[in-house]
Amino acid sequence: MANKDIKNLVRPNLLTLKAYSSARSEFKGRADVLLDANESPWPTGRNRYPDPLSTELRQALGAFKNFNPDQIVFGNGSDELVDQITRIFCNAGDAVHALPPTFGMYKVAAGIADAEFRATNLAPDFTIPVEELKASWDDRSKILWLCSPNNPSGNAMDSAVLEDLIRTFPGIVVLDEAYIDFVPELSFLPRLEEFPNLIITQTLSKGWGMAGIRCGAAFASPFIIQMLNTIKMPYNINVLTTGVALEALSKPEEMKAKVSTLIEERKRLERELPKLDCVEYIFPSVTNFLLIRFKDSDKVYQHLLDNAIVVRNQSYQPNAANCLRITAGLKEENDRLLEALRTL
Ligand code: PMP
């Protein structure tokens, strides 16, 4: 797909929308005295508005990812990016496509934009049914959400299938790589330039351990980044989030060590859980969580709650009957989970 075709996918009113101009972006040069933004003057470290373009944070993430900082935009969690991307491309009645069971926000964002949510269920082994998906799209189709590794199944999608879908879908493909820090070698980021219709989203919430600060990133062509910057709230990444995120990004070794520990813990759960009577099947995972089919998931769910252990019930999702999603925690937490399941 050529860049000019991407323009045709954007809601036409946004192409001429002028973004909000923040006080500090209206001058160039030295700034000793700042009386331009109706801020409080006491220098507490949080009295000034943040940089709307998160320049320093983009440089830090770009350096870590080996990616052009000018093609990054941050969201208040990647949740916010899901909503923004939907609103850039979808008029009421346009279609977005996703492959359940998958992350729930794609559907919510479609609902907010009054877009049609077209679901093509993943196959029972959670691979993509390519032909069925292709048969479902048409000239109303604007966005295809691909989640790899997928939540809640935990598997990564086949790279050749992802590439084929990015090349053939007639709209924007968003590859949600929220769990990519657990399998960085599978990221499509190094190849983003090959695909003008591709947006990749990632987050500091998972491998980086920063769900509380709300910081997600989108990577895309300069035109799509420009659209995201046009519609986003000017100060969506606050100074506290920025400071904590910069500190984390300056210590990638800490993140990598924690990711390795969690992968080891997930593997331990994969070894120990099948020894239990209540477990029927563990779906292969490359993430920090497991989707597990139990003989009776309601009973297990309640038993875990009775032991003050909370997991996520996925049994209402397509192809996930009797399934619970369990996150790998600290070693002691996982021991407690296993112990509770042994006493069922
Ligand atoms: N994508 C996927 C696949 C997720 O599982 C999640 C969170 N559970 C998100 C995006 C959103 O993450 P955040 O808003 O914390 O960046």
Side-chain angles (χ1 to χ4, degrees):
M1 190 177 290
N3 273 311
K4 68 172 181 1
D5 301 319
I6 308 289
K7 269 201 176 124
N8 292 334
L9 294 169
V10 172
R11 283 169 52 212
N13 61 307
L14 296 184
L15 291 172
T16 51
L17 180 75
K18 231 175 137 334
Y20 175 74
S21 168
S22 60
R24 217 133 288 157
S25 55
E26 290 183 348
F27 77 97
K28 276 204 172 64
R30 205 172 127 166
D32 290 341
V33 180
L34 292 171
L35 304 174
D36 58 341
N38 301 347
E39 297 153 332
S40 168
W42 289 279
T44 57
R46 42 187 184 265
N47 62 315
R48 300 290 175 198
Y49 282 101
D51 167 13
L53 295 174
S54 298
T55 308
E56 210 184 336
L57 196 52
R58 284 188 295 109
Q59 279 161 354
L61 186 65
F64 176 71
K65 296 281 177 186
N66 195 18
F67 190 82
N68 179 1
D70 293 337
Q71 288 175 243
I72 302 175
V73 67
F74 289 101
N76 189 330
S78 47
D79 280 350
E80 186 183 42
L81 296 162
V82 172
D83 175 57
Q84 290 168 344
I85 292 166
T86 307
R87 285 187 291 114
I88 288 172
F89 296 102
C90 290
N91 281 302
D94 285 342
V96 310
H97 297 252
L99 294 139
T102 194
F103 182 47
M105 276 302 293
Y106 314 142
K107 187 174 183 180
V108 175
I112 293 169
D114 203 10
E116 183 194 341
F117 183 77
R118 286 192 197 160
T120 303
N121 291 343
L122 290 170
D125 63 354
F126 299 124
T127 54
I128 299 176
V130 176
E131 291 318 311
E132 195 187 331
L133 173 62
K134 288 186 175 181
S136 76
W137 68 51
D138 56 29
D139 55 9
R140 310 296 313 251
S141 300
K142 287 292 180 69
I143 298 174
L144 168 60
W145 296 99
L146 296 173
C147 188
S148 183
N150 186 47
N151 172 14
S153 53
N155 61 315
M157 302 302 158
D158 184 272
S159 292
V161 168
L162 294 178
E163 178 168 351
D164 173 45
L165 292 173
I166 298 165
R167 289 195 194 283
T168 53
F169 184 68
I172 297 294
V173 175
V174 190
L175 183 54
D176 183 339
E177 294 190 338
Y179 295 93
I180 206 66
D181 297 312
F182 298 96
V183 269
E185 67 278 12
L186 296 186
S187 178
F188 264 65
L189 199 55
R191 301 185 55 194
L192 186 117
E193 299 298 326
E194 292 174 46
F195 314 106
N197 63 330
L198 177 62
I199 303 175
I200 292 175
T201 58
Q202 297 184 358
T203 180
L204 298 191
S205 296
K206 309 295 178 185
W208 288 94
M210 305 250 146
I213 69 168
R214 312 306 300 130
C215 190
F219 307 82
S221 70
F223 171 70
I224 294 174
I225 292 296
Q226 182 199 326
M227 293 314 305
L228 280 164
N229 277 322
T230 300
I231 76 153
K232 82 176 186 70
M233 292 301 121
Y235 309 112
N236 62 330
I237 306 300
N238 67 64
V239 290
L240 304 179
T241 293
T242 305
V244 175
L246 282 172
E247 201 196 325
L249 286 168
S250 73
K251 299 177 199 154
E253 297 316 318
E254 275 184 21
M255 178 275 280
K256 287 178 189 167
K258 285 181 175 165
V259 161
S260 308
T261 302
L262 288 177
I263 292 173
E264 285 312 312
E265 281 299 305
R266 185 200 77 220
K267 288 183 177 165
R268 185 164 74 91
L269 291 174
E270 283 171 318
R271 284 193 306 274
E272 294 300 320
L273 286 164
K275 298 177 186 166
L276 302 172
D277 250 5
C278 59
V279 173
E280 197 139 85
Y281 183 69
I282 300 180
F283 289 91
S285 168
V286 296
T287 64
N288 63 332
F289 60 85
L290 289 170
L291 188 71
I292 303 160
R293 174 160 289 139
F294 291 92
K295 286 184 181 136
D296 182 346
S297 60
D298 286 344
K299 196 168 147 193
V300 174
Y301 184 79
Q302 191 53 50
H303 176 73
L304 290 176
L305 271 187
D306 294 343
N307 284 274
I309 299 170
V310 188
V311 301
R312 192 98 191 246
N313 188 354
Q314 298 287 343
S315 55
Y316 56 90
Q317 293 247 43
N319 286 323
N322 270 317
C323 287
L324 303 179
R325 191 194 68 195
I326 301 187
T327 309
L330 296 172
K331 180 177 184 307
E332 310 80 81
E333 295 175 318
N334 303 330
D335 286 342
R336 212 171 129 177
L337 169 83
L338 290 167
E339 198 43 48
L341 288 174
R342 281 185 198 115
T343 63
L344 184 71

